[in-house]
Amino acid sequence: MIRCIRHTAAFSFLLLVALLVNAARVQVVETERYGANPANRRVPIARYEKPRGAVLVEGSPVTGSRDSGGRLRYERTYTDGPLYAPVTGFSSQTYGTSLLERAEDGILSGVDDRLTAFPWWDRLTRTHRRGGDVHTTINARMQRAAFAGLGGKKGAVAAVEPRTGRILTLVSTPSYEPGVLSGNGAAVDEAWRGLNGAARRPMLNRALQETYPPGSTFKVVTAAAALESGRVTDIDARTDAPDPYTLPGTATRLGNAAKDCEDAPLRYAFRASCNTVFARLGAELGLRTMAATARRFGFNDDRLRIPSPVAPSTFDTRMDRAQLALSAIGQYDTAATPLQMAMVAAVVANGGQLAPPYLVDKVTDAGGVMVAAGPHRPTRQVVGPATAQQLQELMIDVVEHGSGRRAALKGVTVGGKTGTAQHGVRNEGMPYAWFISWAREKDGYEPAVAVAVVVEDAAADRADISGGGSAAPIARAVMAEAVRQGPGR
Amino acid sequence: MTATAGAAATARPADTPPPLPLLPRRRGVELALLVGAVLISVCGYAVVGLATHHALPGGAVRYGAGLGGLALLAHLAVRLRAPYADPLLLPTAVLLNGLGLVLIFRLDLETPGDHAAPTQLMWSTVGVTLFIAVVLLLGDHRVLQRYAYVCAALALLLMAAPILFPAVNGAKIWVRVAGFSIQPGEFAKVLITVFFAAYLAANHTALAHVGRRVMGLQLPAGRVLGPIVAIWLISVAVLVLERDLGTSLLFFGVFVVLLYVATGRTGWIAVGLLLAGVGAAAVGTLEPHVHSRVEDWQHPFAGIAEGRGPGQLAQSLFAFAAGGMLGTGLGQGHSALIGFAMKSDFILATFGEELGLAGLTALFLLYALLVARGYRAALGLDDPFGSLLGVGLAVLPALQVFVIAGGVMGLIPLTGMAMPFLAQGGSSVVTNWIIIALLVRLSDRARTPRPATPAPADRRRPAPPPTAPAQGAGR
């Protein structure tokens, strides 16, 4: 009997070993896989267990957290939701995240290993870190000026600091309150459906995600290509361009809204925005030169992250000469985001150098200790300093004597370019009003800001929709704030 | 403890021959371990409060005093009537019961409308009271042998009782009396084990040596095996009628093990496994309730893929996985996602999530300790009934832990069963305390020093002195 009892004890021991081995399998081997299962609610529970890190503008948080008392504990709040929605995006327990909330989610939610010196210890002890803070490059007063300037109109404003690429303003209207999407439940679903179904598309980030035909503002790029290639050496020399201009290979005759465009020199053609001169220049420069120049300015780049992804601006690379001529005046398939056009203005203002734009200045942990600085990617030479100098002259001329007079600021050197882009079938859609510009102090050297404004208000009178009429004053207000605070602030 | 031996030695008359080496009684060790067990439980209680409300829970002192008082009373009973009992049994049981109360208190926080901890504490008190009663009143375990058939009849009666009551959650295992739910099947486990042990002890020679050999197996004569198979068939039939597969599995396991221990024939194990395999296959395919459990075990995450969301087993596995090596800490897990039965069948998931693999290993080792001490007692007894009873009472919790822990962790198909001492359920706790009481009684018998040649002056059994000798020396 004793032998049998020992056997039974050994059998019990085997059961114990089986339990322990199985426990190790579930709790050590499978822990990651089970933990990552989408049906495992622990992931969202842990995610919302602690207040989410904040997005800061000039050191003050524009986001917060609210204790909902539910199982998903903390919900996102926004102190100035509609104003900063194009910057922050939303963070919803139901619908995920967008924009900066998405791009910096690792930091904000606390899962990023950079937030601790010993990530393995937190993993071992199953500690959920507090989220870190994301400090943006946004300038609050410029942001407000742009938001107020657009008012109830549909449109967007992007402004960058030309030397560094810091994004100072990112506004899109009509905007929305991202806080209504934060929680979970029927009200959030209702709000989500309402926002997505709204005709004016408030959740569309027009500054980053929408591309518009840039119209005449694209003439800056065409002028840059002409000057850089040597096709035009003197901006005051006659260009022997006909008026009207027959698009190559077609019988279509392109006319001008402006007068005196026949044989006009580049300076006048730029100021008066002569389509004929720039269409002909584009066609003569050829597809390769035009496409290469556009690419250097940032077109056709689908990898731009600020760190939110930016929709690629496009300049077609397979066209006939007639299409190329139209593309050179910012029509046909040419399309650009407001941020891209702000980059164009910034290149001109910054002596031909492009500093890649970025939105995140630095990232700190919950205790305020710096975790990572902004990207500081190297600048690249887009056009030579001499070309940039000539382009600055052309743009200053537009503000001093041309269509951009409403952007002029006293005591400040401002260069700009208006644009009115046709779109829709046979151009019957309401045109978009563009204005791109830059500003620097009169005797200063360093540019303070480069701005792009687009207004797409279908309700406005067609004659009034022009870059100079509705877009330039908004750019002026933004530049005034930038200059008042001085460069680099 | 050498003091005990010395004191006991000097207490003997000088002219008696030197006795066999005395086993120390270790009552002091038991007391120290009990203090530790109560302290660990109180600490767990405090940690739950600190982690969830950042304050000590209000009832911490009352809870500690209650558990400590129960432990002390049980200890005094053991000291009085079973002075040679194994010192590990009682502290292990108190620690397991204390941890169970902590876990139920912790899970009560997730269900504001349903507080199970006070009821569980009440049932624990009943359990300890019964423990004390058994230790005080049952002087010798061999008395039970006389009541084998009474036990069998009582067990059958208890198992049949729930048939008259409505089914709860698909199983007819409950009896509702005066607001209390009782699972009579739990008590039946002990009774039937007593019966098996008694019957096999009386007939093990016949079972082992009488009968025909068929295909190399020694089959016993029908007239010996008849009653026991009949009892077993009836009990299994009742359980299948009540849809309580776990308990019938437990009975079967205890039956086969005791048969093997009694007869020493490995053939019994072969027959047992064969029967179990056929039975499991038949029930697993024919009975839809069990079939779904098997499906669930094979594909725990099938519900997620089909869009029904994670099932209970998937939630349980998620909970264990979330614990990892060290766990989230008491009060900081989310095992409440399991929902229904989280305080009873799935209570181990909370343990695994909040105390991790480290805690779970410690818990399994605690159970292993209990079981091992049961075998130890069985080995030390010289009467077959005692040995068989010891083995049965050790195998009972061993199988129970394996079936339910393996079930909730995806090792074997899940069958509803209470984790001994840990899970919510009054009948289970009370039954487990009775098991501990019987083991204490058996181990006391096994460890009581017996002289090589029985002398009248040295007889302690079957008439133990009213107070244990050399009471003070053990301190």
Side-chain angles (χ1 to χ4, degrees):
Chain A
M1 194 176 269
I2 285 178
R3 198 176 53 93
C4 295
I5 294 175
R6 289 191 196 283
H7 287 169
T8 311
F11 167 69
S12 308
F13 182 72
L14 281 182
L15 294 185
L16 172 70
V17 170
L19 281 182
L20 288 177
V21 169
N22 185 56
R25 174 186 73 89
V26 174
Q27 300 205 272
V28 178
V29 181
E30 300 279 25
T31 179
E32 302 278 332
R33 203 164 65 86
Y34 289 174
N37 192 304
N40 193 343
R41 294 266 287 159
R42 279 169 189 75
V43 179
I45 287 172
R47 181 184 164 83
Y48 300 110
E49 200 168 50
K50 298 219 165 107
R52 191 172 164 83
V55 176
L56 293 92
V57 169
E58 292 181 32
S60 335
V62 297
T63 62
S65 275
R66 187 175 72 82
D67 188 350
S68 70
R71 181 163 276 162
L72 303 182
R73 187 138 176 227
Y74 284 97
E75 286 176 5
R76 193 55 139 174
T77 58
Y78 297 87
T79 53
D80 221 333
L83 177 63
Y84 291 111
V87 177
T88 59
F90 60 81
S91 170
S92 166
Q93 293 180 351
T94 318
Y95 297 103
T97 51
S98 72
L99 299 174
L100 212 50
E101 295 271 29
R102 163 169 289 194
E104 295 289 356
D105 189 58
I107 292 288
L108 292 168
S109 66
V111 300
D112 197 308
D113 278 347
R114 287 179 293 170
L115 290 171
T116 174
F118 304 109
W120 56 267
W121 176 252
D122 287 355
R123 262 193 287 278
L124 187 68
T125 58
R126 307 272 147 162
T127 304
H128 299 295
R129 291 181 283 267
R130 271 200 70 149
D133 293 339
V134 173
H135 300 249
T136 66
T137 57
I138 293 293
N139 179 304
R141 275 190 290 193
M142 289 168 67
Q143 182 85 0
R144 280 184 197 286
F147 192 71
L150 281 168
K153 295 192 272 283
K154 272 205 279 186
V157 177
V160 298
E161 191 175 70
R163 193 178 52 81
T164 57
R166 292 162 58 92
I167 295 173
L168 302 172
T169 307
L170 214 51
V171 170
S172 170
T173 54
S175 192
Y176 68 107
E177 170 55 54
V180 300
L181 302 175
S182 292
N184 55 71
V188 173
D189 294 340
E190 188 69 29
W192 174 260
R193 275 196 300 274
L195 286 172
N196 276 291
R200 286 163 68 81
R201 301 171 73 197
M203 281 173 74
L204 174 65
N205 189 336
R206 294 175 166 80
L208 298 179
Q209 297 295 339
E210 179 72 316
T211 59
Y212 300 91
S216 300
T217 56
F218 192 75
K219 287 170 185 164
V220 176
V221 177
T222 307
L227 291 166
E228 193 71 0
S229 67
R231 172 68 183 73
V232 176
T233 47
D234 182 357
I235 57 173
D236 293 311
R238 306 235 152 233
T239 53
D240 58 280
D243 183 13
Y245 170 60
T246 308
L247 295 177
T250 68
T252 311
R253 285 147 71 103
L254 183 69
N256 284 312
K259 287 179 288 186
D260 304 328
C261 281
E262 190 169 351
D263 203 18
L266 199 62
R267 186 192 294 269
Y268 177 81
F270 194 84
R271 183 206 303 159
S273 206
C274 296
N275 285 340
T276 50
V277 174
F278 282 92
R280 179 165 169 271
L281 269 178
E284 284 178 8
L285 285 166
L287 185 58
R288 264 174 114 177
T289 312
M290 281 303 295
T293 307
R295 191 165 50 247
R296 282 207 301 280
F297 272 97
F299 281 79
N300 295 337
D301 177 8
D302 56 6
R303 285 173 306 178
L304 180 60
R305 303 281 182 276
I306 62 165
S308 324
V310 181
S313 301
T314 55
F315 185 84
D316 213 333
T317 51
R318 308 173 104 183
M319 298 184 280
D320 62 25
R321 278 172 36 92
Q323 291 163 341
L324 175 61
L326 285 175
S327 297
I329 56 169
Q331 297 287 344
Y332 187 55
D333 277 349
T334 309
T337 59
L339 179 66
Q340 171 62 58
M341 293 318 289
M343 285 158 67
V344 169
V347 166
V348 173
N350 195 35
Q353 285 198 325
L354 174 66
Y358 65 93
L359 188 55
V360 175
D361 198 24
K362 61 175 178 181
V363 169
T364 58
D365 68 14
V369 178
M370 180 129 104
V371 170
H376 297 305
R377 285 185 288 258
T379 58
R380 58 177 196 265
Q381 198 75 41
V382 175
V383 293
T387 302
Q389 185 64 41
Q390 289 170 306
L391 290 171
Q392 283 178 20
E393 273 186 49
L394 293 178
M395 289 179 78
I396 292 169
D397 203 43
V398 169
V399 173
E400 285 182 353
H401 310 292
S403 52
R405 264 187 293 259
R406 293 178 68 178
L409 283 165
K410 198 177 281 180
V412 179
T413 305
V414 177
K417 181 74 193 84
T418 57
T420 309
Q422 312 288 322
H423 72 110
V425 182
R426 282 180 305 196
N427 294 339
E428 65 204 5
M430 281 297 160
Y432 301 125
W434 274 96
F435 191 74
I436 67 171
S437 64
W438 49 266
R440 66 164 182 254
E441 285 185 65
K442 198 103 201 166
D443 43 4
Y445 173 75
E446 194 170 295
V449 66
V451 190
V453 179
V454 67
V455 179
E456 48 160 319
D457 203 36
D461 179 19
R462 181 163 181 141
D464 193 43
I465 292 238
S466 69
S470 47
I474 301 170
R476 182 180 185 278
V478 174
M479 288 188 294
E481 284 296 343
V483 173
R484 199 149 68 87
Q485 294 168 51
R489 268 349 107 67
Chain B
M1 279 309 110
T2 48
T4 313
T10 50
R12 285 168 196 287
D15 57 335
T16 47
L20 287 173
L22 277 180
L23 279 168
R25 291 192 215 153
R26 306 277 194 217
R27 291 278 70 80
V29 172
E30 184 182 81
L31 189 60
L33 287 174
L34 277 174
V35 170
V38 171
L39 276 183
I40 290 175
S41 307
V42 172
C43 283
Y45 202 78
V47 165
V48 170
L50 287 173
T52 48
H53 294 112
H54 307 286
L56 283 173
V61 175
R62 227 174 26 190
Y63 165 83
L67 194 68
L70 287 178
L72 191 67
L73 287 174
H75 171 73
L76 288 178
V78 171
R79 196 176 265 271
L80 200 63
R81 290 299 302 264
Y84 285 92
D86 195 317
L88 287 173
L89 288 168
L90 185 59
T92 311
V94 167
L95 180 54
L96 286 171
N97 199 348
L99 289 175
L101 286 167
V102 167
L103 287 186
I104 293 168
F105 167 71
R106 181 257 171 278
L107 287 172
D108 277 349
L109 301 174
E110 308 280 348
T111 53
D114 168 32
H115 287 292
T119 320
Q120 187 75 357
L121 188 57
M122 193 270 287
W123 280 115
S124 303
T125 312
V126 173
V128 174
T129 309
L130 277 174
F131 169 90
I132 293 169
V134 169
V135 169
L136 288 182
L137 299 179
L138 184 68
D140 190 333
H141 65 271
R142 283 171 298 188
V143 174
L144 291 173
Q145 204 169 1
R146 280 183 238 151
Y147 299 107
Y149 286 93
V150 176
C151 285
L154 208 56
L156 286 180
L157 206 66
L158 284 173
M159 284 190 288
I163 295 179
L164 306 173
F165 289 82
V168 178
N169 304 318
K172 284 190 157 210
I173 53 175
W174 301 91
V175 169
R176 286 182 188 281
V177 181
F180 289 111
S181 294
I182 300 168
Q183 265 180 290
E186 291 283 342
F187 303 108
K189 282 180 204 165
V190 181
L191 293 171
I192 214 103
T193 306
V194 170
F195 168 72
F196 283 156
Y199 187 83
L200 290 170
N203 297 291
H204 72 282
T205 331
L207 282 166
H209 303 297
V210 181
R212 287 165 297 177
R213 288 188 74 87
V214 177
M215 283 161 36
L217 287 174
Q218 179 91 29
L219 290 186
R223 83 190 139 80
V224 191
L225 199 56
I228 201 155
V229 170
I231 296 274
W232 175 75
L233 274 178
I234 293 168
S235 68
V236 169
V238 166
L239 289 170
V240 169
L241 287 178
E242 292 170 5
R243 302 266 177 84
D244 185 6
L245 191 78
T247 310
S248 85
L249 208 69
L250 206 60
F251 281 16
F252 187 79
V254 172
F255 177 64
V256 169
V257 166
L258 287 187
L259 212 48
Y260 167 70
V261 173
T263 62
R265 303 237 163 253
T266 40
W268 285 119
I269 295 183
V271 172
L273 289 180
L274 193 74
L275 276 176
V278 170
V283 174
T285 46
L286 298 177
E287 162 61 49
H289 182 63
V290 179
H291 182 67
S292 74
R293 291 289 180 85
V294 175
E295 292 271 291
D296 222 29
W297 167 62
Q298 286 172 326
H299 313 286
F301 303 116
I304 300 167
E306 290 162 21
R308 280 185 286 112
Q312 257 188 319
L313 182 59
Q315 289 285 20
S316 172
L317 289 174
F318 287 161
F320 280 107
M325 287 292 277
L326 299 181
T328 57
L330 278 172
Q332 293 173 307
H334 300 285
S335 53
L337 291 168
I338 294 169
F340 170 68
M342 64 179 172
K343 292 180 197 171
S344 48
D345 290 5
F346 285 95
I347 194 153
L348 194 66
T350 302
F351 202 96
E353 176 168 9
E354 306 201 339
L355 296 170
L357 181 63
L360 202 57
T361 305
L363 183 73
F364 285 153
L365 290 178
L366 272 182
Y367 283 117
L369 196 63
L370 208 58
V371 173
R373 296 325 286 179
Y375 287 132
R376 185 67 246 166
L379 283 171
L381 286 164
D382 46 14
D383 70 298
F385 169 68
S387 290
L388 285 170
L389 187 59
V391 170
L393 294 178
V395 166
L396 209 56
L399 285 179
Q400 203 167 339
V401 167
F402 179 77
V403 166
I404 185 62
V408 296
M409 299 189 78
L411 183 62
I412 55 172
L414 182 63
T415 46
M417 204 181 272
M419 199 75 195
F421 285 114
L422 224 52
Q424 176 194 17
S427 324
S428 172
V429 166
V430 170
T431 309
N432 287 316
W433 272 114
I434 294 174
I435 292 176
I436 297 297
L438 291 174
L439 285 176
V440 160
R441 176 50 65 214
L442 290 174
S443 71
D444 175 54
R445 175 72 186 176
R447 289 161 53 90
T448 301
R450 282 174 297 256
T453 50
D458 241 18
R459 277 186 61 195
R460 287 176 201 281
R461 304 287 169 197
T467 52
Q471 181 77 39
R475 297 196 188 255

